[in-house]
Amino acid sequence: MPAPVDPRPLTGEPISLDLLNTRWVQDGGRRDLFDADDGLRIWLAANGLDDRFPADVTTLRHLLTARDALSAVADTPDNPAGITRVDAVLAHGRIRATLSAEGPGERAEFDDPSWGPAWTAARNYLELLSAAPDRIRKCAHDACVLHFFDTSRNGTRRWCSMAACGNRAKASRHYARTHGS
Ligand SMILES: [Zn+2]
């Protein structure tokens, strides 16, 4: 059975940021994908993990641990408590080097499969840090809590989406100009 439609305003970011983007603001209220009964199933499917990991309460608990930890380091990268929490999530898995008929490879192994999605998200965050830490961004709109990895050529992306926050920011600048504040 296919997963229900993903209700989030921003999807398709790397999995670590996609985990952060399970929280968003809509109509002035905070939303959380995981508040919905099928939220975990939607998120696992969106990240191609639904065939390997069960959408159960333990998996969700570990994912929430990873989300809080990643949220702490995304907003304050040198925050020692956040670093310790992300590292603690990473301790639940490891990379096993492999050789198969297809050649050399790597496989993730977990203490317990319920840590798989949480560990995968934390591991992805390390990849983003290695690639371009300055391109891990929060949307520049004050009221928006979404995160993205800026893959634009010049590194000038500021908004989760131009259609939503970019235009809201333009409109409020215009309002400020025309109303003399
Ligand atoms: Zn935004």
Side-chain angles (χ1 to χ4, degrees):
M1 199 171 71
V5 174
D6 194 331
R8 298 177 295 156
L10 179 61
T11 55
E13 292 298 327
I15 186 171
S16 53
L17 304 182
D18 191 68
L19 179 58
L20 297 183
N21 291 341
T22 51
R23 287 192 283 210
W24 71 99
V25 174
Q26 193 170 315
D27 303 328
R30 293 186 74 104
R31 304 294 186 89
D32 188 332
L33 178 67
F34 296 137
D35 285 348
D37 284 342
D38 47 10
L40 176 58
R41 208 157 68 84
I42 292 172
W43 188 82
L44 291 173
N47 288 282
L49 298 173
D50 53 327
D51 53 349
R52 287 159 56 206
F53 301 103
D56 61 21
V57 288
T58 315
T59 300
L60 179 59
R61 192 172 71 242
H62 297 329
L63 261 181
L64 294 177
T65 301
R67 183 172 71 172
D68 285 347
L70 288 170
S71 178
V73 292
D75 295 333
T76 322
D78 53 0
N79 151 13
I83 289 171
T84 303
R85 286 157 71 194
V86 173
D87 193 55
V89 172
L90 289 164
H92 292 280
R94 68 201 64 76
I95 302 281
R96 151 99 152 84
T98 61
L99 179 62
S100 70
E102 286 79 50
E106 290 184 340
R107 192 173 65 227
E109 292 181 341
F110 310 108
D111 297 346
D112 185 302
S114 63
W115 275 104
W119 183 93
T120 301
R123 159 79 183 170
N124 172 252
Y125 197 76
L126 303 194
E127 290 167 0
L128 301 187
L129 283 177
S130 302
D134 56 318
R135 287 189 170 222
I136 301 169
R137 309 237 175 94
K138 182 189 158 296
C139 176
H141 197 289
D142 286 342
C144 182
V145 298
L146 295 172
H147 288 76
F148 57 85
F149 190 64
D150 183 359
T151 55
S152 69
R153 195 149 48 97
N154 301 324
T156 52
R157 179 173 170 191
R158 296 185 61 208
W159 317 108
C160 60
S161 89
M162 198 61 216
C165 289
N167 283 336
R168 274 203 287 167
K170 260 199 301 198
S172 60
R173 274 201 306 275
H174 177 75
Y175 183 88
R177 268 199 311 275
T178 54
H179 291 74
S181 60

